[in-house]
Amino acid sequence: MNSGRIFTFLCFFLATSVFARNHRKVSLPNNARVLNQSVSVKWLDSMGTQYFWDKTVLGADSVEHILYLWGDARRGRLVASVADTTWHRLLTPYANEKRLPLKGRVFLSSLRVDKQAPGRLLFEYNNHHLAFDPKSVSVSPTDLRPKETVRSQKAKQWEHWRSWSADSTVCVYALEHDLWMARAQRDSGGNLLLTDSLRLTTDGEHYYSYSVSGNNMRGLKSGEHTSVNGQWMGKSHYFTLVREDRRGVGMLTIVNSLAEGRPKAESYQFAMANDSLVSQFEMWMLDADKCKLRRVDIAAYPDQMIDIPRFRGLTVVGDNMYVVRKSRLQDHTDLLKIAPGDTLAKAIIREVTKPHLNEQLFSFHVLNGGKEILWWAERSDRGQWFLYDGNGKLKNAVTPPTMVAGQIVRIDSLSRTMVLKGYGKEKCSNPAYTYYYKASLDGRKLTLLTPGDGNHSISLAPGTTPQYLVDTYSRIDMAPVHRLRNMRGGVVDTLCSADVSPLMKYGWRYPRQVCVPAADDSTLLYGIVYTPFDMQPEDRLPIVSNPYPGPHTDLLPLDFTLDDNGNQTLANDGFVVMTFSYRGSNPWRGRRFYTHGYGNLRDYALDDDYRTIQRVAAMMPQADTTHVGIWGHSGGGFMAAAAMLTRPDFYKAAVSASGNHDNNIYTKWWGETFHGVGHIPTNMELANRLKGHLLLVHGDMDNNVHPASTLRMANALIKAGKRFDMLIIPGADHALGDTYFLNVIRAYLREHLRGEQIPIDIKELQ
C-alpha cells in the first residue's frame, strides 16, 4: 500500500519555525537549523586515485565545499575546506567578464580529473574551461575541456520508442496497440537508414496491448508510437516481450468535483481481492530474421504473474533471458531461463515460500555470463543469498542465517565478493537498522563495513573493486555522523558530524527510543516516544498512538529527523505521542515477525498497540491511560478505527484518515498476499461498538484507497445509530498532505482528549 504518510509536517515546521502554537510554544528563529545534517558526495576516479567532494553546512551562515583525495601512497586529506565565499572570489573574474551571476555550487557537477596532471581538476563555468589546483586552492584558465558527451545526430526514425537490436539493423515498436518491426541498412557514408516497416500483429487493443503504455487508463491516440514491453536477447535477432491482458479487470470511478464546469468522472482499472477476472500474462518471441512471432510457453499456475521488463525481474545475460514467474498468492516463485528460438521456458530454480514471498527483499542476479546465479530466499526465519550454477544447482549459501540479507549494492566478479545490506546481526538499539557488509561468494567471509549503533547509508567509491565508502549513520535520538571508511570497515577519516546545538538552545529535544515486549510478552517491539519539550514531573498528559501496521513495511523513523509525521508538533500540544513497529510489519525482522498478521488482516496489530501504550505508561508517570487517542493514515487510518471499535473503553478519540476499512475492495495484491483467499474482516462489522469520538477523513480523488471504503464505514455507523464526525477533502488524493488536514488532527485530539477547543489557524494555511 502506498501509505502516503504526511511528510508535509516537516516542511511545515521548517517554513514556520514554530513547533507549537499554543501554551507550549517553542519558537525557533528562521536561521536555526541542523548543521552538517547531510553530505552530498560525488566520486571522481582516475589512475588509481579516488577523489570525492561533498557539500557540507559547517556554520550557521556559510556552506563549505570539501574536496578529498585518497589513494596511491597518499592517505591523508590533501585539500582543506573551501567556502562558498572562496569559490566566488576565485570565479569572480570569469563571471564578471560576461557580467554573469556567480553560481558557486553549480560548477561542481562538471568536475573531472585532469589525466595529464592528476593533481588538478577540470570544470566548466559560464562557458569558460578552467582548472582547479587543490593544493594552492586556485583557479586558472585551460585549453583542456571537460569530456564532451558523444551524441550521434539521429533523425526522427531513431526516436526513443524504437527498440534496436545490438547491431542496429532492426528495431521493434508499437504503433497504436500493435507490434511493428523496421529494418535499417548503412549507406555509403556509414549512416543507418530505415528501409522498410512491417506490421506483425493485428489483434492489439486497449487493455490487451503490445505497447508499454497501452493498458493505462488514457489508452493511446490514433497514430501514436510507443515502446514495446520487452528486450532483445543479447546480440541475436530474437526479441522477447511480455503482453498483459487486462480486459477482464474491473473498473472503479472517482468524481472530480472541482473540475471546471461539470464535475468529471475518472475511471480506472482496479483488481480487488478474490476477483475471478484478473490480469493474464503472455510472453512472445520475435524472430526478426524470419519476421515470425511465436508464443512462449510459460504456464504453470492459474492467474500467474510475470515480472515486467521495465521493473525488476527480467534480465538478458549473453543471449539468454531470465524471467521471474510467481503464483497468484505469491507463495511459489520460479526463475525461468529462455534461450533464443526456444519457446518453452525452463524453470531452473523453484522456490516455495509459505505463506508468501517477501517481495520487499526478493531479487536475483545472473553472473559470469550466466554461469552462476545469486538468488534470495527465506528457507529459515531470515532471508539469505544463495549461489547457484547456471543450470540451477545449488552451490552454497553466501550469507549466514544469523542476519536478514538485503539488497546487493555492488558485485565484484574478480575478487568474487559483493557489498550488500543486512539487518538484525549487530547488537544495536533496533534490529531494523541497515548495515552494510562485504561478503565472499563462497560464503566463507562476511565483513561489517559500517559499525556504529544507527541506521546506515553509504556512498560507495566507483569501480567493481572500490577502496572506500562514505558512511552516514544516525538514529532518531542521535544526529548524523559522516565517516570515510575503507573496505574493512575501518575509519579513514571523520568527515563531520551533525550539530543540533542551535536547536537545543531554543528548547528542542530529541525524542526517546523505547523497547518493550509485545502482547505475547516475549517478542521485543521498538518504538519512539515524543513528549513536550517543557514536560514537567507533575504533568498528566493524554496519550496519542500514531500507528502504521504494515504489513509490507512499517514507518517507524530510523534516521534522525526533526518532526517525524508531525509527532513532535503534536506532542508539544500537550500529549505523549508514541509510534511502534508491531508484529506483522517490518520485513527486515524475519519471516516469523512480518507474517504474524497473515489470515488476520484486520486485528493482528491491535493487541500490540494496546500493550505498548500500557507498558510505556508504566515507565512514564506523566502518561495518562485514562485519556488515550489514536490517529493514523492509510493502513494506520484503518487501524485507528479498528482499535477504537475493538477497545471502545480504552481509546477515547480517533482520527482515521484514508483508511482501507474494507480490504475486500482494496487491491488484490494486498488482500490475497497478506491475508489469503476468502473474506477479510472489515471495520464495518464492528460499527455498533463505537463509544468515543471518531473522525473519518478521506480525499474524494483517492485512487489508491477508494473513498467507498470510508463511505461504507460511515454507512455502517449510521445504521448502528452511532454519532461520528467525517471530513471529505475536495480534490485531495490518498496523501491528504495539506496544512488544513494537519491542523484538523491537532484540533480534534485537543478537543476530545484535553477538552480544549481551538480554531483552525488561518495564518498557518497561507
Side-chain angles (χ1 to χ4, degrees), residues 227-258:
S227 55
V228 176
N229 201 8
Q231 287 182 262
W232 289 96
M233 302 182 72
K235 296 181 180 180
S236 75
H237 278 189
Y238 287 93
F239 184 88
T240 302
L241 62 97
V242 173
R243 186 186 188 194
E244 184 179 1
D245 185 356
R246 296 180 57 87
R247 291 173 296 181
V249 177
M251 305 292 291
L252 283 179
T253 300
I254 51 180
V255 177
N256 183 357
S257 300
L258 302 183

PDB file of all heavy atoms in Angstrom, residues 227-258:
ATOM      1  N   SER A 227       6.928   2.505 -27.103  1.00  0.00           N
ATOM      2  CA  SER A 227       7.864   1.394 -26.992  1.00  0.00           C
ATOM      3  C   SER A 227       7.120   0.109 -26.644  1.00  0.00           C
ATOM      4  O   SER A 227       5.945   0.118 -26.280  1.00  0.00           O
ATOM      5  CB  SER A 227       8.928   1.696 -25.945  1.00  0.00           C
ATOM      6  OG  SER A 227       8.331   2.012 -24.708  1.00  0.00           O
ATOM      7  N   VAL A 228       7.840  -1.001 -26.743  1.00  0.00           N
ATOM      8  CA  VAL A 228       7.281  -2.331 -26.514  1.00  0.00           C
ATOM      9  C   VAL A 228       7.849  -2.885 -25.217  1.00  0.00           C
ATOM     10  O   VAL A 228       9.005  -2.639 -24.867  1.00  0.00           O
ATOM     11  CB  VAL A 228       7.606  -3.264 -27.699  1.00  0.00           C
ATOM     12  CG1 VAL A 228       7.111  -4.680 -27.437  1.00  0.00           C
ATOM     13  CG2 VAL A 228       6.990  -2.716 -28.970  1.00  0.00           C
ATOM     14  N   ASN A 229       7.045  -3.633 -24.526  1.00  0.00           N
ATOM     15  CA  ASN A 229       7.394  -4.157 -23.216  1.00  0.00           C
ATOM     16  C   ASN A 229       8.252  -5.413 -23.351  1.00  0.00           C
ATOM     17  O   ASN A 229       7.804  -6.528 -23.115  1.00  0.00           O
ATOM     18  CB  ASN A 229       6.103  -4.484 -22.460  1.00  0.00           C
ATOM     19  CG  ASN A 229       6.337  -4.540 -20.978  1.00  0.00           C
ATOM     20  OD1 ASN A 229       7.393  -4.195 -20.497  1.00  0.00           O
ATOM     21  ND2 ASN A 229       5.320  -4.964 -20.254  1.00  0.00           N
ATOM     22  N   GLY A 230       9.512  -5.268 -23.777  1.00  0.00           N
ATOM     23  CA  GLY A 230      10.361  -6.421 -23.970  1.00  0.00           C
ATOM     24  C   GLY A 230      11.802  -6.049 -24.183  1.00  0.00           C
ATOM     25  O   GLY A 230      12.197  -4.889 -24.041  1.00  0.00           O
ATOM     26  N   GLN A 231      12.639  -7.042 -24.544  1.00  0.00           N
ATOM     27  CA  GLN A 231      14.068  -6.835 -24.726  1.00  0.00           C
ATOM     28  C   GLN A 231      14.604  -7.712 -25.849  1.00  0.00           C
ATOM     29  O   GLN A 231      14.086  -8.805 -26.108  1.00  0.00           O
ATOM     30  CB  GLN A 231      14.833  -7.186 -23.444  1.00  0.00           C
ATOM     31  CG  GLN A 231      14.665  -6.189 -22.314  1.00  0.00           C
ATOM     32  CD  GLN A 231      15.492  -6.588 -21.113  1.00  0.00           C
ATOM     33  OE1 GLN A 231      14.994  -7.189 -20.177  1.00  0.00           O
ATOM     34  NE2 GLN A 231      16.767  -6.259 -21.152  1.00  0.00           N
ATOM     35  N   TRP A 232      15.674  -7.219 -26.490  1.00  0.00           N
ATOM     36  CA  TRP A 232      16.424  -8.047 -27.422  1.00  0.00           C
ATOM     37  C   TRP A 232      17.266  -9.048 -26.633  1.00  0.00           C
ATOM     38  O   TRP A 232      17.794  -8.732 -25.576  1.00  0.00           O
ATOM     39  CB  TRP A 232      17.333  -7.195 -28.305  1.00  0.00           C
ATOM     40  CG  TRP A 232      16.561  -6.391 -29.305  1.00  0.00           C
ATOM     41  CD1 TRP A 232      16.165  -5.097 -29.186  1.00  0.00           C
ATOM     42  CD2 TRP A 232      16.087  -6.859 -30.576  1.00  0.00           C
ATOM     43  NE1 TRP A 232      15.453  -4.709 -30.294  1.00  0.00           N
ATOM     44  CE2 TRP A 232      15.392  -5.775 -31.175  1.00  0.00           C
ATOM     45  CE3 TRP A 232      16.166  -8.067 -31.261  1.00  0.00           C
ATOM     46  CZ2 TRP A 232      14.795  -5.880 -32.421  1.00  0.00           C
ATOM     47  CZ3 TRP A 232      15.573  -8.180 -32.504  1.00  0.00           C
ATOM     48  CH2 TRP A 232      14.889  -7.094 -33.076  1.00  0.00           C
ATOM     49  N   MET A 233      17.396 -10.227 -27.153  1.00  0.00           N
ATOM     50  CA  MET A 233      18.125 -11.287 -26.473  1.00  0.00           C
ATOM     51  C   MET A 233      19.600 -11.212 -26.880  1.00  0.00           C
ATOM     52  O   MET A 233      20.055 -11.897 -27.806  1.00  0.00           O
ATOM     53  CB  MET A 233      17.502 -12.643 -26.778  1.00  0.00           C
ATOM     54  CG  MET A 233      16.028 -12.700 -26.376  1.00  0.00           C
ATOM     55  SD  MET A 233      15.238 -14.299 -26.659  1.00  0.00           S
ATOM     56  CE  MET A 233      15.999 -15.296 -25.380  1.00  0.00           C
ATOM     57  N   GLY A 234      20.318 -10.344 -26.186  1.00  0.00           N
ATOM     58  CA  GLY A 234      21.744 -10.185 -26.440  1.00  0.00           C
ATOM     59  C   GLY A 234      22.027  -9.671 -27.833  1.00  0.00           C
ATOM     60  O   GLY A 234      21.407  -8.730 -28.319  1.00  0.00           O
ATOM     61  N   LYS A 235      22.973 -10.316 -28.521  1.00  0.00           N
ATOM     62  CA  LYS A 235      23.371  -9.910 -29.865  1.00  0.00           C
ATOM     63  C   LYS A 235      22.549 -10.586 -30.954  1.00  0.00           C
ATOM     64  O   LYS A 235      22.769 -10.354 -32.142  1.00  0.00           O
ATOM     65  CB  LYS A 235      24.856 -10.217 -30.070  1.00  0.00           C
ATOM     66  CG  LYS A 235      25.771  -9.422 -29.150  1.00  0.00           C
ATOM     67  CD  LYS A 235      27.240  -9.742 -29.423  1.00  0.00           C
ATOM     68  CE  LYS A 235      28.152  -8.943 -28.496  1.00  0.00           C
ATOM     69  NZ  LYS A 235      29.578  -9.236 -28.748  1.00  0.00           N
ATOM     70  N   SER A 236      21.619 -11.416 -30.539  1.00  0.00           N
ATOM     71  CA  SER A 236      20.798 -12.131 -31.514  1.00  0.00           C
ATOM     72  C   SER A 236      19.736 -11.215 -32.097  1.00  0.00           C
ATOM     73  O   SER A 236      19.575 -10.069 -31.673  1.00  0.00           O
ATOM     74  CB  SER A 236      20.132 -13.343 -30.856  1.00  0.00           C
ATOM     75  OG  SER A 236      19.055 -12.929 -30.026  1.00  0.00           O
ATOM     76  N   HIS A 237      18.995 -11.755 -33.086  1.00  0.00           N
ATOM     77  CA  HIS A 237      17.870 -11.035 -33.662  1.00  0.00           C
ATOM     78  C   HIS A 237      16.548 -11.566 -33.132  1.00  0.00           C
ATOM     79  O   HIS A 237      15.532 -11.504 -33.817  1.00  0.00           O
ATOM     80  CB  HIS A 237      17.909 -11.115 -35.189  1.00  0.00           C
ATOM     81  CG  HIS A 237      18.826 -10.103 -35.795  1.00  0.00           C
ATOM     82  ND1 HIS A 237      18.897  -9.866 -37.147  1.00  0.00           N
ATOM     83  CD2 HIS A 237      19.726  -9.252 -35.230  1.00  0.00           C
ATOM     84  CE1 HIS A 237      19.798  -8.929 -37.394  1.00  0.00           C
ATOM     85  NE2 HIS A 237      20.313  -8.548 -36.241  1.00  0.00           N
ATOM     86  N   TYR A 238      16.587 -12.090 -31.891  1.00  0.00           N
ATOM     87  CA  TYR A 238      15.368 -12.523 -31.217  1.00  0.00           C
ATOM     88  C   TYR A 238      14.971 -11.464 -30.189  1.00  0.00           C
ATOM     89  O   TYR A 238      15.802 -11.004 -29.395  1.00  0.00           O
ATOM     90  CB  TYR A 238      15.563 -13.869 -30.521  1.00  0.00           C
ATOM     91  CG  TYR A 238      15.630 -15.041 -31.467  1.00  0.00           C
ATOM     92  CD1 TYR A 238      16.859 -15.498 -31.951  1.00  0.00           C
ATOM     93  CD2 TYR A 238      14.466 -15.689 -31.872  1.00  0.00           C
ATOM     94  CE1 TYR A 238      16.926 -16.567 -32.824  1.00  0.00           C
ATOM     95  CE2 TYR A 238      14.526 -16.768 -32.742  1.00  0.00           C
ATOM     96  CZ  TYR A 238      15.752 -17.200 -33.218  1.00  0.00           C
ATOM     97  OH  TYR A 238      15.812 -18.259 -34.081  1.00  0.00           O
ATOM     98  N   PHE A 239      13.699 -11.100 -30.211  1.00  0.00           N
ATOM     99  CA  PHE A 239      13.150 -10.117 -29.282  1.00  0.00           C
ATOM    100  C   PHE A 239      12.026 -10.784 -28.499  1.00  0.00           C
ATOM    101  O   PHE A 239      11.113 -11.366 -29.087  1.00  0.00           O
ATOM    102  CB  PHE A 239      12.608  -8.903 -30.049  1.00  0.00           C
ATOM    103  CG  PHE A 239      12.108  -7.790 -29.168  1.00  0.00           C
ATOM    104  CD1 PHE A 239      12.967  -6.811 -28.719  1.00  0.00           C
ATOM    105  CD2 PHE A 239      10.763  -7.714 -28.809  1.00  0.00           C
ATOM    106  CE1 PHE A 239      12.515  -5.763 -27.923  1.00  0.00           C
ATOM    107  CE2 PHE A 239      10.300  -6.685 -28.007  1.00  0.00           C
ATOM    108  CZ  PHE A 239      11.182  -5.704 -27.560  1.00  0.00           C
ATOM    109  N   THR A 240      12.094 -10.717 -27.153  1.00  0.00           N
ATOM    110  CA  THR A 240      11.077 -11.342 -26.317  1.00  0.00           C
ATOM    111  C   THR A 240      10.308 -10.264 -25.570  1.00  0.00           C
ATOM    112  O   THR A 240      10.905  -9.338 -25.012  1.00  0.00           O
ATOM    113  CB  THR A 240      11.716 -12.317 -25.314  1.00  0.00           C
ATOM    114  OG1 THR A 240      12.457 -13.300 -26.035  1.00  0.00           O
ATOM    115  CG2 THR A 240      10.660 -13.005 -24.480  1.00  0.00           C
ATOM    116  N   LEU A 241       8.987 -10.380 -25.559  1.00  0.00           N
ATOM    117  CA  LEU A 241       8.155  -9.357 -24.940  1.00  0.00           C
ATOM    118  C   LEU A 241       7.082  -9.985 -24.068  1.00  0.00           C
ATOM    119  O   LEU A 241       6.696 -11.141 -24.258  1.00  0.00           O
ATOM    120  CB  LEU A 241       7.506  -8.472 -26.007  1.00  0.00           C
ATOM    121  CG  LEU A 241       6.547  -9.149 -26.990  1.00  0.00           C
ATOM    122  CD1 LEU A 241       5.100  -8.975 -26.546  1.00  0.00           C
ATOM    123  CD2 LEU A 241       6.733  -8.586 -28.394  1.00  0.00           C
ATOM    124  N   VAL A 242       6.633  -9.195 -23.085  1.00  0.00           N
ATOM    125  CA  VAL A 242       5.545  -9.598 -22.198  1.00  0.00           C
ATOM    126  C   VAL A 242       4.309  -8.794 -22.574  1.00  0.00           C
ATOM    127  O   VAL A 242       4.370  -7.575 -22.750  1.00  0.00           O
ATOM    128  CB  VAL A 242       5.907  -9.356 -20.724  1.00  0.00           C
ATOM    129  CG1 VAL A 242       4.705  -9.604 -19.821  1.00  0.00           C
ATOM    130  CG2 VAL A 242       7.077 -10.238 -20.313  1.00  0.00           C
ATOM    131  N   ARG A 243       3.191  -9.484 -22.725  1.00  0.00           N
ATOM    132  CA  ARG A 243       1.921  -8.847 -23.049  1.00  0.00           C
ATOM    133  C   ARG A 243       0.936  -9.150 -21.935  1.00  0.00           C
ATOM    134  O   ARG A 243       0.736 -10.310 -21.562  1.00  0.00           O
ATOM    135  CB  ARG A 243       1.397  -9.371 -24.387  1.00  0.00           C
ATOM    136  CG  ARG A 243       0.136  -8.676 -24.899  1.00  0.00           C
ATOM    137  CD  ARG A 243      -0.366  -9.377 -26.144  1.00  0.00           C
ATOM    138  NE  ARG A 243      -1.459  -8.660 -26.788  1.00  0.00           N
ATOM    139  CZ  ARG A 243      -2.239  -9.188 -27.731  1.00  0.00           C
ATOM    140  NH1 ARG A 243      -2.035 -10.436 -28.151  1.00  0.00           N
ATOM    141  NH2 ARG A 243      -3.212  -8.478 -28.266  1.00  0.00           N
ATOM    142  N   GLU A 244       0.343  -8.097 -21.377  1.00  0.00           N
ATOM    143  CA  GLU A 244      -0.604  -8.251 -20.280  1.00  0.00           C
ATOM    144  C   GLU A 244      -2.026  -8.062 -20.788  1.00  0.00           C
ATOM    145  O   GLU A 244      -2.326  -7.087 -21.475  1.00  0.00           O
ATOM    146  CB  GLU A 244      -0.309  -7.233 -19.177  1.00  0.00           C
ATOM    147  CG  GLU A 244      -1.190  -7.379 -17.956  1.00  0.00           C
ATOM    148  CD  GLU A 244      -0.855  -6.381 -16.864  1.00  0.00           C
ATOM    149  OE1 GLU A 244       0.065  -5.559 -17.073  1.00  0.00           O
ATOM    150  OE2 GLU A 244      -1.512  -6.410 -15.810  1.00  0.00           O
ATOM    151  N   ASP A 245      -2.887  -9.007 -20.450  1.00  0.00           N
ATOM    152  CA  ASP A 245      -4.300  -8.943 -20.817  1.00  0.00           C
ATOM    153  C   ASP A 245      -5.096  -8.462 -19.604  1.00  0.00           C
ATOM    154  O   ASP A 245      -5.315  -9.198 -18.643  1.00  0.00           O
ATOM    155  CB  ASP A 245      -4.787 -10.319 -21.267  1.00  0.00           C
ATOM    156  CG  ASP A 245      -6.225 -10.295 -21.782  1.00  0.00           C
ATOM    157  OD1 ASP A 245      -6.860  -9.224 -21.717  1.00  0.00           O
ATOM    158  OD2 ASP A 245      -6.699 -11.349 -22.247  1.00  0.00           O
ATOM    159  N   ARG A 246      -5.542  -7.212 -19.646  1.00  0.00           N
ATOM    160  CA  ARG A 246      -6.282  -6.610 -18.538  1.00  0.00           C
ATOM    161  C   ARG A 246      -7.762  -6.414 -18.872  1.00  0.00           C
ATOM    162  O   ARG A 246      -8.478  -5.708 -18.156  1.00  0.00           O
ATOM    163  CB  ARG A 246      -5.668  -5.250 -18.170  1.00  0.00           C
ATOM    164  CG  ARG A 246      -4.250  -5.343 -17.649  1.00  0.00           C
ATOM    165  CD  ARG A 246      -3.711  -3.955 -17.294  1.00  0.00           C
ATOM    166  NE  ARG A 246      -4.550  -3.282 -16.314  1.00  0.00           N
ATOM    167  CZ  ARG A 246      -4.439  -3.407 -15.000  1.00  0.00           C
ATOM    168  NH1 ARG A 246      -3.492  -4.191 -14.506  1.00  0.00           N
ATOM    169  NH2 ARG A 246      -5.243  -2.755 -14.180  1.00  0.00           N
ATOM    170  N   ARG A 247      -8.239  -7.036 -19.932  1.00  0.00           N
ATOM    171  CA  ARG A 247      -9.603  -6.775 -20.386  1.00  0.00           C
ATOM    172  C   ARG A 247     -10.661  -7.196 -19.382  1.00  0.00           C
ATOM    173  O   ARG A 247     -11.771  -6.652 -19.371  1.00  0.00           O
ATOM    174  CB  ARG A 247      -9.847  -7.464 -21.729  1.00  0.00           C
ATOM    175  CG  ARG A 247      -9.065  -6.845 -22.880  1.00  0.00           C
ATOM    176  CD  ARG A 247      -9.214  -7.654 -24.145  1.00  0.00           C
ATOM    177  NE  ARG A 247      -8.633  -8.993 -24.010  1.00  0.00           N
ATOM    178  CZ  ARG A 247      -8.616  -9.906 -24.983  1.00  0.00           C
ATOM    179  NH1 ARG A 247      -9.162  -9.615 -26.162  1.00  0.00           N
ATOM    180  NH2 ARG A 247      -8.060 -11.079 -24.781  1.00  0.00           N
ATOM    181  N   GLY A 248     -10.351  -8.169 -18.535  1.00  0.00           N
ATOM    182  CA  GLY A 248     -11.346  -8.619 -17.568  1.00  0.00           C
ATOM    183  C   GLY A 248     -11.291  -7.916 -16.228  1.00  0.00           C
ATOM    184  O   GLY A 248     -12.118  -8.175 -15.347  1.00  0.00           O
ATOM    185  N   VAL A 249     -10.306  -7.021 -16.042  1.00  0.00           N
ATOM    186  CA  VAL A 249     -10.146  -6.356 -14.751  1.00  0.00           C
ATOM    187  C   VAL A 249     -11.252  -5.322 -14.568  1.00  0.00           C
ATOM    188  O   VAL A 249     -11.549  -4.533 -15.474  1.00  0.00           O
ATOM    189  CB  VAL A 249      -8.760  -5.688 -14.654  1.00  0.00           C
ATOM    190  CG1 VAL A 249      -8.622  -4.936 -13.331  1.00  0.00           C
ATOM    191  CG2 VAL A 249      -7.660  -6.736 -14.791  1.00  0.00           C
ATOM    192  N   GLY A 250     -11.869  -5.314 -13.394  1.00  0.00           N
ATOM    193  CA  GLY A 250     -12.981  -4.406 -13.115  1.00  0.00           C
ATOM    194  C   GLY A 250     -12.555  -2.958 -13.001  1.00  0.00           C
ATOM    195  O   GLY A 250     -11.377  -2.635 -12.833  1.00  0.00           O
ATOM    196  N   MET A 251     -13.537  -2.077 -13.076  1.00  0.00           N
ATOM    197  CA  MET A 251     -13.296  -0.636 -13.071  1.00  0.00           C
ATOM    198  C   MET A 251     -13.749  -0.021 -11.747  1.00  0.00           C
ATOM    199  O   MET A 251     -14.657  -0.521 -11.086  1.00  0.00           O
ATOM    200  CB  MET A 251     -14.056   0.039 -14.215  1.00  0.00           C
ATOM    201  CG  MET A 251     -13.759  -0.522 -15.598  1.00  0.00           C
ATOM    202  SD  MET A 251     -12.090  -0.182 -16.166  1.00  0.00           S
ATOM    203  CE  MET A 251     -12.185   1.600 -16.413  1.00  0.00           C
ATOM    204  N   LEU A 252     -13.109   1.082 -11.393  1.00  0.00           N
ATOM    205  CA  LEU A 252     -13.547   1.947 -10.312  1.00  0.00           C
ATOM    206  C   LEU A 252     -13.648   3.370 -10.857  1.00  0.00           C
ATOM    207  O   LEU A 252     -12.976   3.714 -11.830  1.00  0.00           O
ATOM    208  CB  LEU A 252     -12.571   1.922  -9.137  1.00  0.00           C
ATOM    209  CG  LEU A 252     -12.620   0.703  -8.209  1.00  0.00           C
ATOM    210  CD1 LEU A 252     -11.568   0.829  -7.124  1.00  0.00           C
ATOM    211  CD2 LEU A 252     -14.001   0.542  -7.577  1.00  0.00           C
ATOM    212  N   THR A 253     -14.458   4.185 -10.215  1.00  0.00           N
ATOM    213  CA  THR A 253     -14.659   5.563 -10.673  1.00  0.00           C
ATOM    214  C   THR A 253     -14.624   6.510  -9.481  1.00  0.00           C
ATOM    215  O   THR A 253     -15.206   6.216  -8.428  1.00  0.00           O
ATOM    216  CB  THR A 253     -15.999   5.717 -11.407  1.00  0.00           C
ATOM    217  OG1 THR A 253     -16.018   4.840 -12.536  1.00  0.00           O
ATOM    218  CG2 THR A 253     -16.191   7.146 -11.894  1.00  0.00           C
ATOM    219  N   ILE A 254     -13.913   7.608  -9.654  1.00  0.00           N
ATOM    220  CA  ILE A 254     -13.958   8.702  -8.703  1.00  0.00           C
ATOM    221  C   ILE A 254     -14.455   9.938  -9.450  1.00  0.00           C
ATOM    222  O   ILE A 254     -14.391   9.990 -10.677  1.00  0.00           O
ATOM    223  CB  ILE A 254     -12.590   8.975  -8.056  1.00  0.00           C
ATOM    224  CG1 ILE A 254     -11.501   9.131  -9.122  1.00  0.00           C
ATOM    225  CG2 ILE A 254     -12.225   7.870  -7.084  1.00  0.00           C
ATOM    226  CD1 ILE A 254     -10.119   9.407  -8.564  1.00  0.00           C
ATOM    227  N   VAL A 255     -14.953  10.918  -8.715  1.00  0.00           N
ATOM    228  CA  VAL A 255     -15.535  12.111  -9.338  1.00  0.00           C
ATOM    229  C   VAL A 255     -14.736  13.337  -8.907  1.00  0.00           C
ATOM    230  O   VAL A 255     -14.590  13.602  -7.704  1.00  0.00           O
ATOM    231  CB  VAL A 255     -17.011  12.282  -8.959  1.00  0.00           C
ATOM    232  CG1 VAL A 255     -17.567  13.573  -9.561  1.00  0.00           C
ATOM    233  CG2 VAL A 255     -17.822  11.078  -9.436  1.00  0.00           C
ATOM    234  N   ASN A 256     -14.227  14.039  -9.901  1.00  0.00           N
ATOM    235  CA  ASN A 256     -13.517  15.288  -9.646  1.00  0.00           C
ATOM    236  C   ASN A 256     -14.549  16.407  -9.522  1.00  0.00           C
ATOM    237  O   ASN A 256     -14.974  16.995 -10.514  1.00  0.00           O
ATOM    238  CB  ASN A 256     -12.525  15.568 -10.774  1.00  0.00           C
ATOM    239  CG  ASN A 256     -11.717  16.817 -10.529  1.00  0.00           C
ATOM    240  OD1 ASN A 256     -11.920  17.522  -9.535  1.00  0.00           O
ATOM    241  ND2 ASN A 256     -10.789  17.112 -11.421  1.00  0.00           N
ATOM    242  N   SER A 257     -14.932  16.697  -8.293  1.00  0.00           N
ATOM    243  CA  SER A 257     -15.965  17.715  -8.059  1.00  0.00           C
ATOM    244  C   SER A 257     -15.468  19.117  -8.326  1.00  0.00           C
ATOM    245  O   SER A 257     -16.265  20.050  -8.474  1.00  0.00           O
ATOM    246  CB  SER A 257     -16.463  17.618  -6.610  1.00  0.00           C
ATOM    247  OG  SER A 257     -17.014  16.342  -6.364  1.00  0.00           O
ATOM    248  N   LEU A 258     -14.153  19.312  -8.374  1.00  0.00           N
ATOM    249  CA  LEU A 258     -13.583  20.635  -8.579  1.00  0.00           C
ATOM    250  C   LEU A 258     -13.214  20.898 -10.033  1.00  0.00           C
ATOM    251  O   LEU A 258     -12.607  21.926 -10.342  1.00  0.00           O
ATOM    252  CB  LEU A 258     -12.338  20.804  -7.698  1.00  0.00           C
ATOM    253  CG  LEU A 258     -12.546  20.614  -6.195  1.00  0.00           C
ATOM    254  CD1 LEU A 258     -11.247  20.876  -5.447  1.00  0.00           C
ATOM    255  CD2 LEU A 258     -13.658  21.510  -5.673  1.00  0.00           C
TER     256      LEU A 258
END
